[in-house]
């Protein structure tokens, strides 16, 4: 009998303020690599609600959630042992203000409002290598 597959859902926010995208630098895993703010969807939570909560927890910013623009899956170790398949969904978002940004030091140690050129030079967490350029492409097209 096959082992049941555990599945989790995470959401990420491509938060734009003008032409700049908010990126946060990850710690302790993927130390020094940059990603979009976001996190796990809790049981019973709507995706957009989870995204607003995670962004508020990780950055203290209030965002307007736009449309989803990127989805991917990956496997990781679960906290309770075993493996879990994760579905990641990224959304285009806008920030009502650029700050103040307040990070959770256990998760991120720096933030940057990056334009497209700056973002291309940063080392990204592997799961965001496609999502970040796609967010800029869609932003240029005005697809929010």
């Amino acid at each position: 009998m096959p082992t049941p597959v555990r599945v989790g859902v995470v959401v990420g926010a491509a938060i734009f303020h003008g032409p700049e995208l908010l990126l946060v630098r990850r710690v302790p895993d993927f130390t020094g690599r940059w990603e979009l703010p976001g996190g796990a969807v809790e049981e019973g939570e709507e995706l957009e609600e989870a995204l607003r909560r995670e962004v508020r927890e990780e950055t203290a910013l209030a965002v307007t959630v736009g449309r989803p623009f990127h989805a991917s899956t990956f496997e990781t170790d679960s906290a309770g042992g075993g493996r879990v398949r994760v579905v990641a969904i990224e959304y285009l978002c806008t920030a009502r203000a650029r700050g103040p940004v307040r990070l959770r030091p256990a998760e991120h140690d720096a933030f940057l409002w990056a334009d497209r050129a700056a973002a291309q030079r940063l080392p990204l967490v592997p799961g965001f290598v496609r999502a970040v350029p796609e967010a800029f492409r869609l932003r240029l097209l005005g697809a929010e």
Side-chain angles (χ1 to χ4, degrees):
M1 179 171 199
T3 305
V5 176
R6 294 186 33 208
V7 177
V9 178
V10 297
V11 288
I15 304 168
F16 283 94
H17 190 271
E20 296 177 321
L21 175 67
L22 179 64
L23 295 169
V24 289
R25 192 169 59 193
R26 186 88 187 152
V27 292
D29 57 341
F30 297 109
T31 300
R33 292 189 175 266
W34 297 82
E35 67 180 358
L36 301 175
V41 177
E42 295 176 358
E43 189 172 332
E45 210 173 21
E46 295 291 328
L47 297 175
E48 292 85 358
E49 174 188 355
L51 186 57
R52 282 189 291 275
R53 176 187 51 76
E54 283 287 345
V55 168
R56 199 171 41 256
E57 289 175 1
E58 290 186 2
T59 68
L61 293 177
V63 295
T64 301
V65 178
R67 70 180 187 89
F69 73 94
H70 186 263
S72 60
T73 62
F74 61 93
E75 283 193 19
T76 188
D77 294 323
S78 71
R83 302 284 288 166
V84 63
R85 176 164 292 278
V86 178
V87 177
I89 305 166
E90 275 75 48
Y91 287 79
L92 292 173
C93 298
T94 55
R96 297 179 187 131
R98 282 177 56 110
V101 174
R102 290 186 296 277
L103 301 175
R104 295 171 81 180
E107 293 184 51
H108 302 105
D109 67 355
F111 73 92
L112 174 67
W113 288 98
D115 63 18
R116 187 178 193 148
Q120 288 175 335
R121 292 189 298 270
L122 295 173
L124 298 173
V125 170
F128 295 97
V129 169
R130 288 192 179 114
V132 168
E134 180 67 4
F136 277 107
R137 186 184 76 76
L138 291 171
R139 179 72 175 185
L140 288 173
L141 294 175
E144 296 175 49

